[in-house]
PDB file of all heavy atoms in Angstrom:
ATOM      1  N   ASP Z  71     -13.288  -0.111   4.070  1.00  0.00           N
ATOM      2  CA  ASP Z  71     -12.637  -0.256   2.764  1.00  0.00           C
ATOM      3  C   ASP Z  71     -11.284   0.445   2.775  1.00  0.00           C
ATOM      4  O   ASP Z  71     -10.883   1.107   1.815  1.00  0.00           O
ATOM      5  CB  ASP Z  71     -13.545   0.302   1.660  1.00  0.00           C
ATOM      6  CG  ASP Z  71     -13.072  -0.124   0.268  1.00  0.00           C
ATOM      7  OD1 ASP Z  71     -12.293  -1.088   0.175  1.00  0.00           O
ATOM      8  OD2 ASP Z  71     -13.489   0.513  -0.720  1.00  0.00           O
ATOM      9  N   ALA Z  73      -8.249  -0.735   2.766  1.00  0.00           N
ATOM     10  CA  ALA Z  73      -7.172  -1.225   1.901  1.00  0.00           C
ATOM     11  C   ALA Z  73      -7.219  -0.522   0.552  1.00  0.00           C
ATOM     12  O   ALA Z  73      -6.207  -0.400  -0.131  1.00  0.00           O
ATOM     13  CB  ALA Z  73      -7.271  -2.738   1.724  1.00  0.00           C
ATOM     14  N   ALA Z  74      -8.416  -0.045   0.157  1.00  0.00           N
ATOM     15  CA  ALA Z  74      -8.536   0.701  -1.098  1.00  0.00           C
ATOM     16  C   ALA Z  74      -8.017   2.121  -0.893  1.00  0.00           C
ATOM     17  O   ALA Z  74      -7.189   2.607  -1.657  1.00  0.00           O
ATOM     18  CB  ALA Z  74      -9.978   0.720  -1.583  1.00  0.00           C
ATOM     19  N   THR Z  75      -8.535   2.788   0.116  1.00  0.00           N
ATOM     20  CA  THR Z  75      -7.968   4.079   0.511  1.00  0.00           C
ATOM     21  C   THR Z  75      -8.412   4.385   1.936  1.00  0.00           C
ATOM     22  O   THR Z  75      -9.504   3.997   2.344  1.00  0.00           O
ATOM     23  CB  THR Z  75      -8.363   5.224  -0.455  1.00  0.00           C
ATOM     24  OG1 THR Z  75      -7.456   6.326  -0.280  1.00  0.00           O
ATOM     25  CG2 THR Z  75      -9.788   5.712  -0.255  1.00  0.00           C
ATOM     26  N   ASN Z 136       1.903   7.751  -7.022  1.00  0.00           N
ATOM     27  CA  ASN Z 136       1.392   6.641  -6.206  1.00  0.00           C
ATOM     28  C   ASN Z 136       2.405   5.500  -6.300  1.00  0.00           C
ATOM     29  O   ASN Z 136       3.423   5.627  -6.982  1.00  0.00           O
ATOM     30  CB  ASN Z 136       0.004   6.195  -6.689  1.00  0.00           C
ATOM     31  CG  ASN Z 136      -0.054   6.063  -8.215  1.00  0.00           C
ATOM     32  OD1 ASN Z 136       0.910   5.624  -8.825  1.00  0.00           O
ATOM     33  ND2 ASN Z 136      -1.155   6.463  -8.815  1.00  0.00           N
ATOM     34  N   ALA Z 137       2.076   4.383  -5.664  1.00  0.00           N
ATOM     35  CA  ALA Z 137       2.979   3.231  -5.703  1.00  0.00           C
ATOM     36  C   ALA Z 137       3.107   2.697  -7.124  1.00  0.00           C
ATOM     37  O   ALA Z 137       4.188   2.271  -7.548  1.00  0.00           O
ATOM     38  CB  ALA Z 137       2.449   2.139  -4.776  1.00  0.00           C
ATOM     39  N   THR Z 138       2.009   2.733  -7.856  1.00  0.00           N
ATOM     40  CA  THR Z 138       2.013   2.227  -9.231  1.00  0.00           C
ATOM     41  C   THR Z 138       3.057   2.959 -10.064  1.00  0.00           C
ATOM     42  O   THR Z 138       3.846   2.339 -10.782  1.00  0.00           O
ATOM     43  CB  THR Z 138       0.613   2.418  -9.853  1.00  0.00           C
ATOM     44  OG1 THR Z 138      -0.335   1.707  -9.050  1.00  0.00           O
ATOM     45  CG2 THR Z 138       0.566   1.915 -11.282  1.00  0.00           C
ATOM     46  N   GLU Z 139       3.072   4.284  -9.960  1.00  0.00           N
ATOM     47  CA  GLU Z 139       4.043   5.057 -10.735  1.00  0.00           C
ATOM     48  C   GLU Z 139       5.471   4.749 -10.269  1.00  0.00           C
ATOM     49  O   GLU Z 139       6.398   4.684 -11.082  1.00  0.00           O
ATOM     50  CB  GLU Z 139       3.766   6.553 -10.616  1.00  0.00           C
ATOM     51  CG  GLU Z 139       4.623   7.367 -11.566  1.00  0.00           C
ATOM     52  CD  GLU Z 139       4.315   8.852 -11.505  1.00  0.00           C
ATOM     53  OE1 GLU Z 139       4.814   9.529 -10.595  1.00  0.00           O
ATOM     54  OE2 GLU Z 139       3.549   9.315 -12.358  1.00  0.00           O
ATOM     55  N   ILE Z 141       6.619   1.928  -9.115  1.00  0.00           N
ATOM     56  CA  ILE Z 141       7.046   0.627  -9.670  1.00  0.00           C
ATOM     57  C   ILE Z 141       7.382   0.787 -11.152  1.00  0.00           C
ATOM     58  O   ILE Z 141       8.389   0.267 -11.639  1.00  0.00           O
ATOM     59  CB  ILE Z 141       5.961  -0.449  -9.447  1.00  0.00           C
ATOM     60  CG1 ILE Z 141       5.760  -0.700  -7.943  1.00  0.00           C
ATOM     61  CG2 ILE Z 141       6.342  -1.758 -10.163  1.00  0.00           C
ATOM     62  CD1 ILE Z 141       4.588  -1.599  -7.587  1.00  0.00           C
ATOM     63  N   HIS Z 166      -0.479  -7.466  -6.524  1.00  0.00           N
ATOM     64  CA  HIS Z 166      -1.434  -6.515  -7.085  1.00  0.00           C
ATOM     65  C   HIS Z 166      -1.051  -6.273  -8.545  1.00  0.00           C
ATOM     66  O   HIS Z 166       0.120  -6.363  -8.902  1.00  0.00           O
ATOM     67  CB  HIS Z 166      -1.320  -5.212  -6.275  1.00  0.00           C
ATOM     68  CG  HIS Z 166      -2.347  -4.180  -6.584  1.00  0.00           C
ATOM     69  ND1 HIS Z 166      -2.263  -3.367  -7.678  1.00  0.00           N
ATOM     70  CD2 HIS Z 166      -3.492  -3.830  -5.947  1.00  0.00           C
ATOM     71  CE1 HIS Z 166      -3.306  -2.542  -7.706  1.00  0.00           C
ATOM     72  NE2 HIS Z 166      -4.069  -2.805  -6.655  1.00  0.00           N
ATOM     73  N   SER Z 168      -0.529  -3.747 -10.049  1.00  0.00           N
ATOM     74  CA  SER Z 168       0.509  -2.702 -10.112  1.00  0.00           C
ATOM     75  C   SER Z 168       1.910  -3.269 -10.006  1.00  0.00           C
ATOM     76  O   SER Z 168       2.874  -2.635 -10.439  1.00  0.00           O
ATOM     77  CB  SER Z 168       0.336  -1.705  -8.965  1.00  0.00           C
ATOM     78  OG  SER Z 168      -0.853  -1.019  -9.114  1.00  0.00           O
ATOM     79  N   ASN Z 169       2.028  -4.422  -9.380  1.00  0.00           N
ATOM     80  CA  ASN Z 169       3.340  -5.064  -9.251  1.00  0.00           C
ATOM     81  C   ASN Z 169       3.422  -6.288 -10.162  1.00  0.00           C
ATOM     82  O   ASN Z 169       4.167  -7.217  -9.892  1.00  0.00           O
ATOM     83  CB  ASN Z 169       3.617  -5.447  -7.792  1.00  0.00           C
ATOM     84  CG  ASN Z 169       5.087  -5.785  -7.552  1.00  0.00           C
ATOM     85  OD1 ASN Z 169       5.974  -5.284  -8.257  1.00  0.00           O
ATOM     86  ND2 ASN Z 169       5.346  -6.659  -6.599  1.00  0.00           N
ATOM     87  N   VAL Z 214       5.129  -8.178  -2.647  1.00  0.00           N
ATOM     88  CA  VAL Z 214       4.290  -7.388  -1.770  1.00  0.00           C
ATOM     89  C   VAL Z 214       4.651  -7.710  -0.305  1.00  0.00           C
ATOM     90  O   VAL Z 214       4.957  -8.863   0.013  1.00  0.00           O
ATOM     91  CB  VAL Z 214       2.806  -7.681  -2.084  1.00  0.00           C
ATOM     92  CG1 VAL Z 214       2.393  -9.092  -1.664  1.00  0.00           C
ATOM     93  CG2 VAL Z 214       1.887  -6.653  -1.465  1.00  0.00           C
ATOM     94  N   VAL Z 216       2.580  -6.874   2.506  1.00  0.00           N
ATOM     95  CA  VAL Z 216       1.320  -7.395   3.072  1.00  0.00           C
ATOM     96  C   VAL Z 216       0.313  -7.500   1.926  1.00  0.00           C
ATOM     97  O   VAL Z 216       0.074  -6.513   1.220  1.00  0.00           O
ATOM     98  CB  VAL Z 216       0.781  -6.451   4.166  1.00  0.00           C
ATOM     99  CG1 VAL Z 216      -0.618  -6.873   4.600  1.00  0.00           C
ATOM    100  CG2 VAL Z 216       1.727  -6.414   5.361  1.00  0.00           C
ATOM    101  N   SER Z 217      -0.262  -8.677   1.748  1.00  0.00           N
ATOM    102  CA  SER Z 217      -1.187  -8.883   0.623  1.00  0.00           C
ATOM    103  C   SER Z 217      -2.517  -8.194   0.872  1.00  0.00           C
ATOM    104  O   SER Z 217      -3.109  -8.349   1.947  1.00  0.00           O
ATOM    105  CB  SER Z 217      -1.414 -10.380   0.400  1.00  0.00           C
ATOM    106  OG  SER Z 217      -2.571 -10.583  -0.381  1.00  0.00           O
ATOM    107  N   ASN Z 218      -3.007  -7.470  -0.152  1.00  0.00           N
ATOM    108  CA  ASN Z 218      -4.275  -6.752  -0.008  1.00  0.00           C
ATOM    109  C   ASN Z 218      -5.471  -7.684  -0.100  1.00  0.00           C
ATOM    110  O   ASN Z 218      -6.600  -7.267   0.122  1.00  0.00           O
ATOM    111  CB  ASN Z 218      -4.394  -5.644  -1.071  1.00  0.00           C
ATOM    112  CG  ASN Z 218      -4.529  -6.211  -2.471  1.00  0.00           C
ATOM    113  OD1 ASN Z 218      -3.972  -7.265  -2.768  1.00  0.00           O
ATOM    114  ND2 ASN Z 218      -5.262  -5.524  -3.329  1.00  0.00           N
ATOM    115  N   ASP Z 243       6.751  -3.930  -2.237  1.00  0.00           N
ATOM    116  CA  ASP Z 243       5.515  -3.159  -2.362  1.00  0.00           C
ATOM    117  C   ASP Z 243       4.909  -3.032  -0.958  1.00  0.00           C
ATOM    118  O   ASP Z 243       4.329  -3.982  -0.433  1.00  0.00           O
ATOM    119  CB  ASP Z 243       4.566  -3.884  -3.318  1.00  0.00           C
ATOM    120  CG  ASP Z 243       3.196  -3.228  -3.387  1.00  0.00           C
ATOM    121  OD1 ASP Z 243       2.944  -2.263  -2.640  1.00  0.00           O
ATOM    122  OD2 ASP Z 243       2.363  -3.711  -4.183  1.00  0.00           O
ATOM    123  N   CYS Z 245       2.515  -0.971   0.068  1.00  0.00           N
ATOM    124  CA  CYS Z 245       1.227  -0.256   0.077  1.00  0.00           C
ATOM    125  C   CYS Z 245       0.362  -0.603   1.288  1.00  0.00           C
ATOM    126  O   CYS Z 245      -0.300   0.259   1.850  1.00  0.00           O
ATOM    127  CB  CYS Z 245       0.432  -0.616  -1.180  1.00  0.00           C
ATOM    128  SG  CYS Z 245       0.708   0.536  -2.495  1.00  0.00           S
ATOM    129  N   GLN Z 246       0.361  -1.898   1.636  1.00  0.00           N
ATOM    130  CA  GLN Z 246      -0.524  -2.330   2.728  1.00  0.00           C
ATOM    131  C   GLN Z 246       0.217  -2.518   4.044  1.00  0.00           C
ATOM    132  O   GLN Z 246      -0.380  -2.959   5.025  1.00  0.00           O
ATOM    133  CB  GLN Z 246      -1.240  -3.648   2.354  1.00  0.00           C
ATOM    134  CG  GLN Z 246      -2.086  -3.565   1.094  1.00  0.00           C
ATOM    135  CD  GLN Z 246      -3.315  -2.663   1.259  1.00  0.00           C
ATOM    136  OE1 GLN Z 246      -3.685  -2.273   2.382  1.00  0.00           O
ATOM    137  NE2 GLN Z 246      -3.964  -2.327   0.165  1.00  0.00           N
ATOM    138  N   SER Z 266       1.844   4.255  -1.304  1.00  0.00           N
ATOM    139  CA  SER Z 266       0.921   5.303  -1.753  1.00  0.00           C
ATOM    140  C   SER Z 266       0.457   6.112  -0.553  1.00  0.00           C
ATOM    141  O   SER Z 266       0.037   5.526   0.459  1.00  0.00           O
ATOM    142  CB  SER Z 266      -0.314   4.673  -2.415  1.00  0.00           C
ATOM    143  OG  SER Z 266      -0.021   4.318  -3.733  1.00  0.00           O
ATOM    144  N   HIS Z 268      -2.246   7.879  -0.160  1.00  0.00           N
ATOM    145  CA  HIS Z 268      -3.691   7.889   0.132  1.00  0.00           C
ATOM    146  C   HIS Z 268      -4.152   6.735   1.000  1.00  0.00           C
ATOM    147  O   HIS Z 268      -5.257   6.754   1.520  1.00  0.00           O
ATOM    148  CB  HIS Z 268      -4.498   7.936  -1.180  1.00  0.00           C
ATOM    149  CG  HIS Z 268      -4.408   6.673  -1.998  1.00  0.00           C
ATOM    150  ND1 HIS Z 268      -5.302   5.658  -1.864  1.00  0.00           N
ATOM    151  CD2 HIS Z 268      -3.521   6.263  -2.940  1.00  0.00           C
ATOM    152  CE1 HIS Z 268      -4.995   4.674  -2.708  1.00  0.00           C
ATOM    153  NE2 HIS Z 268      -3.907   5.028  -3.366  1.00  0.00           N
ATOM    154  N   LYS Z 269      -3.305   5.703   1.150  1.00  0.00           N
ATOM    155  CA  LYS Z 269      -3.679   4.589   2.033  1.00  0.00           C
ATOM    156  C   LYS Z 269      -3.180   4.817   3.454  1.00  0.00           C
ATOM    157  O   LYS Z 269      -3.445   4.023   4.344  1.00  0.00           O
ATOM    158  CB  LYS Z 269      -3.103   3.276   1.488  1.00  0.00           C
ATOM    159  CG  LYS Z 269      -3.719   2.829   0.171  1.00  0.00           C
ATOM    160  CD  LYS Z 269      -3.120   1.503  -0.251  1.00  0.00           C
ATOM    161  CE  LYS Z 269      -3.305   1.191  -1.726  1.00  0.00           C
ATOM    162  NZ  LYS Z 269      -4.659   0.832  -2.084  1.00  0.00           N
ATOM    163  N   ARG Z 407     -15.572  -3.750   0.158  1.00  0.00           N
ATOM    164  CA  ARG Z 407     -15.310  -3.806  -1.279  1.00  0.00           C
ATOM    165  C   ARG Z 407     -15.621  -5.197  -1.814  1.00  0.00           C
ATOM    166  O   ARG Z 407     -15.403  -6.189  -1.124  1.00  0.00           O
ATOM    167  CB  ARG Z 407     -13.838  -3.472  -1.528  1.00  0.00           C
ATOM    168  CG  ARG Z 407     -13.491  -3.574  -2.976  1.00  0.00           C
ATOM    169  CD  ARG Z 407     -12.323  -2.749  -3.397  1.00  0.00           C
ATOM    170  NE  ARG Z 407     -12.196  -2.931  -4.857  1.00  0.00           N
ATOM    171  CZ  ARG Z 407     -11.125  -2.654  -5.558  1.00  0.00           C
ATOM    172  NH1 ARG Z 407     -10.082  -2.145  -4.975  1.00  0.00           N
ATOM    173  NH2 ARG Z 407     -11.086  -2.872  -6.851  1.00  0.00           N
ATOM    174  N   HIS Z 411     -10.067  -7.001  -6.429  1.00  0.00           N
ATOM    175  CA  HIS Z 411      -9.100  -6.178  -5.700  1.00  0.00           C
ATOM    176  C   HIS Z 411      -7.770  -6.057  -6.446  1.00  0.00           C
ATOM    177  O   HIS Z 411      -6.695  -6.013  -5.823  1.00  0.00           O
ATOM    178  CB  HIS Z 411      -8.871  -6.717  -4.277  1.00  0.00           C
ATOM    179  CG  HIS Z 411     -10.108  -7.250  -3.642  1.00  0.00           C
ATOM    180  ND1 HIS Z 411     -11.255  -6.509  -3.511  1.00  0.00           N
ATOM    181  CD2 HIS Z 411     -10.404  -8.477  -3.148  1.00  0.00           C
ATOM    182  CE1 HIS Z 411     -12.189  -7.242  -2.960  1.00  0.00           C
ATOM    183  NE2 HIS Z 411     -11.706  -8.440  -2.732  1.00  0.00           N
ATOM    184  N   CYS Z 412      -7.842  -6.055  -7.781  1.00  0.00           N
ATOM    185  CA  CYS Z 412      -6.629  -5.954  -8.603  1.00  0.00           C
ATOM    186  C   CYS Z 412      -5.649  -7.089  -8.344  1.00  0.00           C
ATOM    187  O   CYS Z 412      -4.427  -6.916  -8.462  1.00  0.00           O
ATOM    188  CB  CYS Z 412      -5.934  -4.606  -8.429  1.00  0.00           C
ATOM    189  SG  CYS Z 412      -6.953  -3.234  -8.947  1.00  0.00           S
ATOM    190  N   ARG Z 427     -14.489  -7.963   0.668  1.00  0.00           N
ATOM    191  CA  ARG Z 427     -13.354  -7.700   1.556  1.00  0.00           C
ATOM    192  C   ARG Z 427     -13.670  -6.584   2.535  1.00  0.00           C
ATOM    193  O   ARG Z 427     -14.088  -5.496   2.133  1.00  0.00           O
ATOM    194  CB  ARG Z 427     -12.130  -7.327   0.737  1.00  0.00           C
ATOM    195  CG  ARG Z 427     -10.873  -7.097   1.609  1.00  0.00           C
ATOM    196  CD  ARG Z 427      -9.725  -6.529   0.821  1.00  0.00           C
ATOM    197  NE  ARG Z 427     -10.033  -5.199   0.334  1.00  0.00           N
ATOM    198  CZ  ARG Z 427      -9.283  -4.521  -0.538  1.00  0.00           C
ATOM    199  NH1 ARG Z 427      -8.195  -5.064  -1.023  1.00  0.00           N
ATOM    200  NH2 ARG Z 427      -9.624  -3.308  -0.918  1.00  0.00           N
TER     201      ARG Z 427
HETATM  202  N1  7TS G 507       0.032  -2.662  -4.193  1.00  0.00           N
HETATM  203  C1  7TS G 507      -0.847  -3.096  -3.287  1.00  0.00           C
HETATM  204  C2  7TS G 507      -0.468  -4.207  -2.363  1.00  0.00           C
HETATM  205  C3  7TS G 507      -2.103  -2.494  -3.193  1.00  0.00           C
HETATM  206  O1  7TS G 507      -2.963  -2.930  -2.263  1.00  0.00           O
HETATM  207  C4  7TS G 507      -2.424  -1.434  -4.067  1.00  0.00           C
HETATM  208  C5  7TS G 507      -3.784  -0.792  -4.045  1.00  0.00           C
HETATM  209  C6  7TS G 507      -1.463  -1.006  -4.980  1.00  0.00           C
HETATM  210  C7  7TS G 507      -0.240  -1.658  -5.035  1.00  0.00           C
HETATM  211  C8  7TS G 507      -1.691   0.122  -5.917  1.00  0.00           C
HETATM  212  O2  7TS G 507      -1.811   1.331  -5.244  1.00  0.00           O
HETATM  213  P1  7TS G 507      -2.030   2.696  -6.069  1.00  0.00           P
HETATM  214  O3  7TS G 507      -2.240   3.714  -5.012  1.00  0.00           O
HETATM  215  O4  7TS G 507      -0.799   2.904  -6.868  1.00  0.00           O
HETATM  216  O5  7TS G 507      -3.228   2.474  -6.922  1.00  0.00           O
HETATM  217  N2  7TS G 507      -4.790  -1.624  -3.556  1.00  0.00           N
HETATM  218  C9  7TS G 507      -6.118  -1.429  -3.679  1.00  0.00           C
HETATM  219  C10 7TS G 507      -7.066  -2.288  -3.118  1.00  0.00           C
HETATM  220  O6  7TS G 507      -6.794  -3.291  -2.467  1.00  0.00           O
HETATM  221  N3  7TS G 507      -8.284  -1.835  -3.396  1.00  0.00           N
HETATM  222  O7  7TS G 507      -8.172  -0.704  -4.108  1.00  0.00           O
HETATM  223  C11 7TS G 507      -6.827  -0.446  -4.282  1.00  0.00           C
END
Side-chain angles (χ1 to χ4, degrees):
D71 194 18
T75 199
N136 45 38
T138 301
E139 188 177 81
I141 296 172
H166 188 281
S168 295
N169 195 27
V214 70
V216 171
S217 163
N218 68 327
D243 174 356
C245 267
Q246 301 292 347
S266 279
H268 69 92
K269 293 182 199 287
R407 177 155 183 198
H411 323 305
C412 298
R427 183 189 65 189

